[in-house]
Amino acid sequence: MNSGDVAWILAASALLCIMIPGLALFYGGMVGSRRILNMMMMCFGGMSIVAVLWAVFGYSMVFGNSIAGAGLLGGITEYFGMEQLLTEDPNAPIPAALFAAFQLFFAGITTAIIAGAAAGRMKFRAWMTFAALWATLVYFPVAHWVFAFSSADGSVTGGWIVNSLKAVDFAGGTAVHMNAGIAALALALVLGRSAGWPKSEHTKPHSRPLVLVGAGLLWAGWFGFNAGSALTAGQSASVVFLNTAVAACTGLLAWALVERIRLGSASSMGAASGLISALVAITPACGAVSPLGALAIGLIAGAVCSLAIELKFRMGFDDSLDVVGVHLVGGILGTLLIGFFATDAAPNKVNGLFYGGGFELLGIQTVATLAVLAYSFVVTWVIAKVLNVIMGLRVHEADELRGIDIAAHSEAAYLSDEEPVELGSPRRA
């Protein structure tokens, strides 16, 4: 094993871990002061339940030998409990245990992203149950489709999207962002609108500085997310690192410019959202495009996603923290734009339409996009509907209006929001 590669993936995994508090702060600043603890707990709690499942059977479902060679799901018992990862494989580029830890954070952050669509109105126990079921029934299968490569000697069969369809997704535009974004839409539709939506005072962000801090931490973590997916500390990781940096900055500027034109000023919330939308879009494309292509993708994502967040008002669904407008739309854009901007000079070594590759790659990317969107939406909607019948998803309206922190967690983030609590009183959230 190359010690430099191992050291880089260890560092990339740590950067990925930073994305969890980054997302918690990013989302937490966007909600009211009496909802921030619940929002942050949904991020940390979702990550934690997925990590447990990953260690028991999730890694096996994603990276185990595909059942019957169908490319749909890895063998559930092949790496059950991960004990097999304790033995060093001298032929592996990095330790299997390290790769499993790296991918663990992909699973956790993807699940946590969905929480933004349910902010302030979903029972915490219902969220934790949903997160466990969603990771098992949606993320693990889709991640197998996208991330599980077949072995060179044919002894291990991987997922159908990456091996049979041969779609390009360097770091997770389909399995992570589109997957979480369309799931957020399904959950929001089942949950229904917040009380008083869209003009209720209690849904307004309480701390824009926290949003910017969270966005900054996410940006830092994204370098581990994207460049770490090269799995080596070499040229590929370097190109991806550069593309990620320039796309993010372009997205921030594009969103700010659209706001300036439409609303007369560029907001801090818009800047943070533009940064994240471009990072979402460059995630699948970071190994397929040149820096100029990355600039174009960041520009398009920042501009289009800034307009896409208006969809929830036009279509009447309450996507509280714009998961659909940023992650779903950004993920779709990044995946499809590979079909235009991909160049064989980049690590993925494929050409898109603008580099003489014709429409074939765009068609492949479209099939992968539609497959993930259809599967994730349907299964997520069914999970949410069943849980709503069995245990109910929504908190009581009174708890929603006064802020869910006290009802769900018996504590407040700020002294001014503290309320007297009767000992032994039942909690409804």
Side-chain angles (χ1 to χ4, degrees):
M1 294 182 185
N2 185 309
S3 59
D5 293 341
V6 174
W8 163 234
I9 304 306
L10 284 168
S13 300
L15 287 170
L16 278 170
C17 187
I18 290 174
M19 296 184 80
I20 302 301
L23 184 68
L25 289 169
F26 182 68
Y27 278 172
M30 289 185 181
V31 299
S33 63
R34 296 187 175 197
R35 292 157 187 79
I36 179 174
L37 291 180
N38 177 252
M39 190 70 261
M40 297 181 81
M41 282 290 289
M42 290 177 80
C43 293
F44 281 97
M47 170 68 211
S48 298
I49 192 69
V50 172
V52 172
L53 299 178
W54 184 259
V56 178
F57 57 79
Y59 176 80
S60 190
M61 288 179 66
V62 176
F63 293 106
N65 195 13
S66 188
I67 297 174
L72 299 176
L73 190 67
I76 299 175
T77 60
E78 186 173 348
Y79 296 106
F80 192 86
M82 291 186 172
E83 188 171 350
Q84 300 88 333
L85 307 188
L86 300 179
T87 303
E88 181 178 351
D89 180 357
N91 298 316
I94 62 172
L98 175 56
F99 177 73
F102 178 71
Q103 283 288 333
L104 178 154
F105 291 109
F106 277 64
I109 195 69
T110 304
T111 306
I113 288 169
I114 303 170
R121 65 192 191 278
M122 187 173 185
K123 296 176 181 177
F124 185 67
R125 64 179 181 272
W127 161 251
M128 293 295 285
T129 306
F130 171 86
L133 290 173
W134 188 84
T136 302
L137 300 177
V138 181
Y139 180 80
F140 295 159
V142 173
H144 179 74
W145 303 352
V146 175
F147 293 143
F149 285 87
S150 298
S151 62
D153 60 5
S155 60
V156 177
T157 303
W160 71 276
I161 285 181
V162 67
N163 296 293
S164 300
L165 185 62
K166 298 189 183 303
V168 177
D169 186 352
F170 195 86
T174 49
V176 177
H177 297 294
M178 277 196 296
N179 198 3
I182 195 67
L185 175 60
L187 180 60
L189 291 174
V190 176
L191 269 176
R193 304 171 185 175
S194 301
W197 186 88
K199 297 182 178 180
S200 176
E201 288 292 322
H202 74 271
T203 61
K204 292 184 177 180
H206 86 285
S207 178
R208 286 168 173 80
L210 285 185
V211 176
L212 287 171
V213 171
L217 290 174
L218 285 170
W219 189 10
W222 230 290
F223 289 111
F225 199 99
N226 286 359
S229 294
L231 298 180
T232 62
Q235 177 66 14
S236 293
S238 301
V239 170
V240 168
F241 201 105
L242 174 61
N243 284 343
T244 300
V246 298
C249 294
T250 311
L252 184 153
L253 296 174
W255 191 302
L257 179 60
V258 171
E259 275 195 332
R260 182 68 177 83
I261 295 171
R262 294 181 65 235
L263 307 175
S265 62
S267 69
S268 60
M269 290 278 287
S273 298
L275 181 77
I276 300 304
S277 65
L279 287 167
V280 168
I282 198 59
T283 294
C286 56
V289 301
S290 69
L292 285 179
L295 288 172
I297 290 173
L299 175 67
I300 294 169
V304 173
C305 290
S306 68
L307 301 174
I309 62 172
E310 301 295 329
L311 288 174
K312 64 182 181 182
F313 302 113
R314 294 179 178 273
M315 301 178 68
F317 62 89
D318 182 6
D319 171 25
S320 304
L321 306 185
D322 298 318
V323 183
V324 174
V326 172
H327 291 273
L328 174 58
V329 175
I332 291 173
L333 285 172
T335 301
L336 296 183
L337 288 173
I338 292 171
F340 294 94
F341 292 105
T343 169
D344 62 5
N348 281 125
K349 300 188 181 305
V350 291
N351 281 323
L353 183 62
F354 295 161
Y355 287 83
F359 288 95
E360 181 181 3
L361 181 58
L362 180 60
I364 290 172
Q365 298 300 107
T366 301
V367 172
T369 296
L370 294 176
V372 171
L373 292 179
Y375 178 81
S376 182
F377 180 85
V378 171
V379 179
T380 304
W381 189 87
V382 170
I383 292 171
K385 275 290 188 181
V386 171
L387 288 180
N388 197 33
V389 171
I390 294 175
M391 63 192 310
L393 297 179
R394 291 288 291 266
V395 299
H396 288 271
E397 185 174 350
D399 291 330
E400 182 183 337
L401 290 172
R402 71 172 180 167
I404 193 174
D405 286 356
I406 295 292
H409 308 292
S410 301
E411 55 187 353
Y414 306 103
L415 291 176
S416 59
D417 291 331
E418 288 184 348
E419 297 181 9
V421 179
E422 296 180 10
L423 294 178
S425 60
R427 292 296 168 198
R428 295 175 289 182

